[in-house]
Amino acid sequence: ETGYVTLDPGFVNTASCASAITYIDGDAGILRYRGYPIEELAEHSSFIEVCYLLIYGELPTAEQLGSFWEKVSQHTMLHEDFKSFFSGFPRDAHPMAVLASAVGALSTFYQDSLDPFDPEQVDISSIRLISKLPTIAAYAYKTSIGQPLLYPDNSLGYTENFLRMTFGVPTQPYEIDPEIARVLDMLFILHADHEQNCSTSTVRLVGSSQANLFSSISAGVNALWGPLHGGANQAVLEMLQNIHDSGDDVDTFVRRVKAKEPGLKLMGFGHRVYRNYDPRATVVKQATRKVLDRLGRPDPLLDVAMRLEEVALSDDYFVERKLYPNVDFYTGVIYKALGFPTNAFTVLFALGRLPGWIAQWREMMSDSTTKIGRPRQVYVGPPERSYVEVAER
Ligand code: SDX
């Protein structure tokens, strides 16, 4: 009943693979995971349920979801030897460096589950990654501020557990606001997959050499860190803060961007695929005001962001280039309001994107026609020439 899609040759030449996981229509601003519109999943689903959907292809029954969650909640702790890992980094280490290293290091603790062709080993590695990334992220943060690490509390939900490990302290109970946890859970859903973006393509490329899942995901974390990709959410907040602190009005900043001042971009704007408003940005923007009102923490940076959007979307320079807000434009304002440090924003993106990376890696590994990724090049260097002794150069 899905019918056949007729791909024009140009598209086929640029398509890196066929995938059944995520569908994007960049012109119409459509995003679906396994056929379900992102707006419906954001409103009705949970991040753990979306993890199941992306990895196994179907929304789980209540029994399947319960069994999946039971497995995930049994693996949230890290090996005790792993804890010394965090203290080996400088306090001001960027948490994406810690996360990428920690994910790669997980393979040293689970050497019995590295075979990419053993379904049981791939399943337990998938579960361990989903379970342990929040613990790793929280421990990296706690170590950077010199606070004690909190063990996971498996009586809590996925996002509640993460918030408690991140912001809780052993000396007093941590009050979880279910509304706030729900917003963060929804943000994880919005980031969960996005077809063949830079970091997902990296995960597939590394996995195509038959490297294990942990090392492939570690490579994806590194790719996501870049400011043109997942690192944009951190760059957006720094941009908004700079505009606010400079006292310049937004119009002045936009004029400088249009003048292409070196290194100046409207971060959080533009997209390789969306030539329209990123549907995720629409959902995030609606949530931003709600979170700030709920927390009673008005933030002038939200006003700067909304003014930037208003000015840019009424300016031919951006409209002609089809530059609209993407998923990273508003998320930083929410993360800041929740209490996360700016350099941890991309870690939050990685936590959300993890199930998508896993699902895409598994899809690639299960495709018997997969060959090792080995792009060719057009050689534009010098023609053949003979060696010249150094005395004659
Ligand atoms: C993510 O691929 C994914 O799916 C990624 C992602 C995911 O979920 O995995 O959606 C997550 O990475 C979102 C993108 C986050 N990055 C940013 O917000 C950084 C700012 N954006 C840009 O760097 C840029 O828009 C890209 C990299 C996102 C996309 O670049 P394109 O489509 O390749 O555009 P381009 O670089 O070819 O530029 C086209 C024109 C140029 O102007 P001209 O040379 O034609 O005069 O648009 C201009 C660019 O200078 N331009 C911008 C701009 N982005 C492009 N000008 C100002 N500000 C910007 N942000």
Side-chain angles (χ1 to χ4, degrees), residues 194 228-229 260 266 268-269 271-272 280 321 326 353:
H194 213 238
L228 294 191
H229 189 14
K260 295 183 187 277
L266 192 39
F269 259 67
H271 199 275
R272 294 296 286 140
R280 300 167 297 177
R321 291 168 174 79
N326 59 51
R353 183 53 51 89

Side-chain angles (χ1 to χ4, degrees), residues 235-257 261 264-269 299-309 311-312 318 329:
V236 168
L237 208 86
E238 288 161 355
M239 172 188 73
L240 297 175
Q241 195 67 58
N242 290 339
I243 295 170
H244 177 264
D245 298 347
S246 70
D248 274 350
D249 60 20
V250 161
D251 299 75
T252 304
F253 178 77
V254 170
R255 272 197 297 277
R256 292 176 55 208
V257 169
E261 281 188 20
L264 212 54
K265 277 181 180 269
L266 192 39
M267 300 309 281
F269 259 67
D299 188 341
L301 300 190
L302 177 59
D303 301 327
V304 174
M306 296 181 89
R307 176 72 184 131
L308 257 180
E309 176 183 343
V311 169
F318 297 93
F329 190 62

Side-chain angles (χ1 to χ4, degrees), residues 70-392:
E70 191 189 342
K71 282 185 229 166
V72 169
S73 59
Q74 279 168 4
H75 292 277
T76 51
M77 283 208 302
L78 290 173
H79 190 290
E80 282 298 297
D81 293 351
F82 210 108
K83 289 168 74 174
S84 59
F85 179 88
F86 297 95
S87 54
F89 289 90
R91 286 247 195 249
D92 62 351
H94 195 290
M96 284 298 275
V98 180
L99 182 65
S101 313
V103 170
L106 281 174
S107 64
T108 66
F109 287 84
Y110 303 109
Q111 300 185 43
D112 62 344
S113 61
L114 301 181
D115 179 349
F117 296 107
D118 179 325
E120 279 184 24
Q121 293 187 34
V122 168
D123 245 12
I124 185 59
S125 296
S126 305
I127 293 281
R128 279 172 169 150
L129 280 161
I130 291 170
S131 313
K132 297 179 192 300
L133 245 68
T135 310
I136 291 171
Y139 283 11
Y141 173 61
K142 283 299 194 189
T143 306
S144 75
I145 58 174
Q147 282 194 1
L149 308 180
L150 286 185
Y151 284 109
D153 172 351
N154 295 337
S155 67
L156 297 174
Y158 183 88
T159 307
E160 290 82 352
N161 213 353
F162 171 58
L163 285 168
R164 177 185 159 277
M165 287 189 285
T166 304
F167 298 117
V169 287
T171 50
Q172 61 195 52
Y174 176 72
E175 291 297 315
I176 292 169
D177 178 337
E179 274 298 303
I180 294 301
R182 175 74 193 104
V183 169
L184 186 57
D185 200 75
M186 184 267 294
L187 290 174
F188 287 151
I189 291 172
L190 293 175
H191 287 82
D193 193 50
H194 213 238
E195 59 136 279
Q196 305 312 313
N197 58 82
C198 177
S199 55
T200 300
S201 302
T202 301
V203 169
R204 278 180 169 255
L205 190 64
V206 170
S208 72
S209 73
Q210 298 181 7
N212 66 69
L213 180 58
F214 297 110
S215 56
S216 303
I217 299 298
S218 173
V221 173
N222 280 303
L224 186 71
W225 191 0
L228 294 191
H229 189 14
N233 57 17
Q234 174 177 344
V236 168
L237 208 86
E238 288 161 355
M239 172 188 73
L240 297 175
Q241 195 67 58
N242 290 339
I243 295 170
H244 177 264
D245 298 347
S246 70
D248 274 350
D249 60 20
V250 161
D251 299 75
T252 304
F253 178 77
V254 170
R255 272 197 297 277
R256 292 176 55 208
V257 169
K258 289 165 63 177
K260 295 183 187 277
E261 281 188 20
L264 212 54
K265 277 181 180 269
L266 192 39
M267 300 309 281
F269 259 67
H271 199 275
R272 294 296 286 140
V273 178
Y274 290 122
R275 296 315 188 192
N276 199 322
Y277 212 102
D278 182 334
R280 300 167 297 177
T282 305
V283 180
V284 177
K285 183 178 176 183
Q286 289 159 359
T288 309
R289 180 66 75 194
K290 193 172 113 183
V291 167
L292 296 185
D293 293 348
R294 173 105 183 159
L295 292 171
R297 291 182 199 153
D299 188 341
L301 300 190
L302 177 59
D303 301 327
V304 174
M306 296 181 89
R307 176 72 184 131
L308 257 180
E309 176 183 343
E310 182 192 343
V311 169
L313 295 194
S314 59
D315 187 315
D316 289 344
Y317 179 91
F318 297 93
V319 175
E320 284 162 5
R321 291 168 174 79
K322 299 185 186 298
L323 301 176
Y324 295 89
N326 59 51
V327 68
D328 293 312
F329 190 62
Y330 286 104
T331 41
V333 177
I334 294 185
Y335 295 150
K336 174 175 173 255
L338 296 184
F340 290 100
T342 313
N343 71 1
F345 292 178
T346 312
V347 171
L348 298 173
F349 192 141
L351 291 182
R353 183 53 51 89
L354 178 64
W357 286 333
I358 292 172
Q360 297 269 354
W361 183 91
R362 290 171 67 127
E363 181 180 70
M364 180 272 303
M365 292 307 279
S366 64
D367 177 352
S368 59
T369 65
T370 290
K371 299 235 181 308
I372 182 168
R374 206 283 183 213
R376 290 308 310 272
Q377 62 171 28
V378 174
Y379 178 71
V380 294
E384 184 178 1
R385 48 186 173 168
S386 301
Y387 183 78
V388 177
E389 290 303 330
V390 66
E392 296 159 35

